Amino acid sequence: MIYTTFAELYDELMDPEMYHRWVQYFKQRVWLDMGPVLDLGCGSAALTLLLKQAGYQMEGLDFSEEMLSLATEKMTEDESFIPLYQGDMTDLRALGKYNAVVSTLDSLCYLADESELQLVFEQVYAHLIPSGHFLFDVHSLYQVDKVFPDYMYNYQDENEAFLWHSYPTDVKHAVEHELTFFVKEQETGSYQRLSEYHYERTYPLEVYVKLLKKAGFDRIEVSADFGKSSVKENSVRWFFSCTK
């Protein structure tokens, strides 16, 4: 495959197993045939499509037009149709009511600060039906403060090379990722460089719970490993299952 955008390359980095594990986690908590489900920060709709294939009535929202273009391509290949919206997750006023909202693979960690996170929680709460579910994951403090700083990963094959380097920032519990791809031009043999910087931020567990309660959620379950274990000091990702 010849990649022409960073979105296509970034999408290839995602581990398919993560999406399948998310489907199982979701199915254990949200019943079928209860109404529409919104995938918040759906990206290329990899999870959205899997949940639709599992029988859920899916819709998706993402800020990136490039990712939504990839999602449309995937739907065409799958011969599926899912309503997709381009927009900011802090403002869902144009959308309807949902039985469940799901946000995966640390999408909420891309929000700039605590006030934006609070806005998203309030918007999600407002767009859920009574007893609706909000499921999401975020990076843990351990992941951001211990694992990511100065983390490096390199990959290379005959057609492309990928460099990932994470840096600590001056902001507490925040990290910046420098992602660089070198993609071989088949006709000339030269390499095209594509780079992006991704800023992510997380918060202590009690901050997430406090903001969720402030938004109105009163039933909040927090776990690790897709709900299979309790949160530990070295858990890398936290999973939240909240009910309105």
Side-chain angles (χ1 to χ4, degrees):
M1 178 177 183
I2 305 302
Y3 298 100
T4 58
T5 70
F6 189 92
E8 289 175 304
L9 291 161
Y10 185 74
D11 190 50
E12 285 296 303
L13 290 177
M14 300 297 104
D15 181 3
E17 180 63 23
M18 292 283 284
Y19 295 120
H20 289 287
R21 295 190 70 188
W22 246 108
V23 169
Q24 294 305 312
Y25 177 77
F26 190 85
K27 288 170 67 175
Q28 291 167 2
R29 289 159 178 81
V30 181
W31 295 349
L32 288 170
D33 303 324
M34 291 183 63
V37 175
L38 176 66
D39 188 351
L40 194 61
C42 64
S44 68
L47 177 68
T48 328
L49 279 165
L50 287 175
L51 288 173
K52 180 176 178 59
Q53 291 164 5
Y56 292 97
Q57 185 181 330
M58 299 302 300
E59 298 179 19
L61 178 138
D62 201 272
F63 187 75
S64 169
E65 292 183 358
E66 284 188 354
M67 281 296 186
L68 291 175
S69 178
L70 282 180
T72 301
E73 290 178 18
K74 288 183 178 181
M75 284 192 296
T76 300
E77 293 172 2
D78 191 62
E79 299 183 346
S80 298
F81 172 73
I82 299 172
L84 298 175
Y85 312 103
Q86 192 278 324
D88 190 327
M89 64 172 65
T90 63
D91 184 1
L92 306 180
R93 287 176 295 177
L95 303 185
K97 294 284 188 177
Y98 296 93
N99 170 58
V101 175
V102 59
S103 186
T104 65
L105 301 182
D106 50 274
S107 293
L108 297 180
C109 292
Y110 283 86
L111 295 167
D113 52 35
E114 198 172 310
S115 63
E116 285 196 357
L117 185 61
Q118 181 69 67
L119 274 175
V120 171
F121 288 168
E122 291 172 356
Q123 286 286 296
V124 169
Y125 188 86
H127 285 267
L128 283 173
I129 64 171
S131 299
H133 302 281
F134 179 32
L135 280 66
F136 66 93
D137 67 31
V138 291
H139 289 312
S140 69
L141 293 184
Y142 177 81
Q143 177 83 320
V144 172
D145 296 343
K146 302 294 184 183
V147 177
F148 277 147
D150 298 317
Y151 173 82
M152 294 186 69
Y153 173 77
N154 301 324
Y155 168 80
Q156 181 177 350
D157 62 24
E158 60 183 12
N159 292 315
E160 65 188 41
F162 169 59
L163 309 176
W164 173 2
H165 192 181
S166 299
Y167 306 90
T169 73
D170 294 333
V171 178
K172 197 172 184 180
H173 311 315
V175 67
E176 188 172 72
H177 308 289
E178 180 183 8
L179 307 177
T180 304
F181 290 92
F182 295 91
V183 183
K184 188 176 183 179
E185 299 282 358
Q186 300 299 316
E187 293 182 0
T188 65
S190 61
Y191 284 81
Q192 176 190 13
R193 175 175 176 160
L194 298 168
S195 297
E196 277 193 6
Y197 288 88
H198 289 209
Y199 174 84
E200 291 193 284
R201 185 177 184 182
T202 196
Y203 304 91
L205 197 58
E206 58 268 23
V207 171
Y208 285 105
V209 173
K210 178 189 72 174
L211 298 181
L212 285 164
K213 287 182 176 179
K214 185 177 179 181
F217 292 100
D218 55 3
R219 286 177 283 172
I220 303 166
E221 169 197 312
V222 189
S223 62
D225 193 26
F226 296 89
K228 295 185 180 299
S229 68
S230 59
V231 170
K232 299 178 176 60
E233 186 177 345
N234 62 348
S235 298
V236 296
R237 195 180 292 270
W238 296 330
F239 293 80
F240 288 78
S241 177
C242 315
T243 306
K244 182 172 179 177

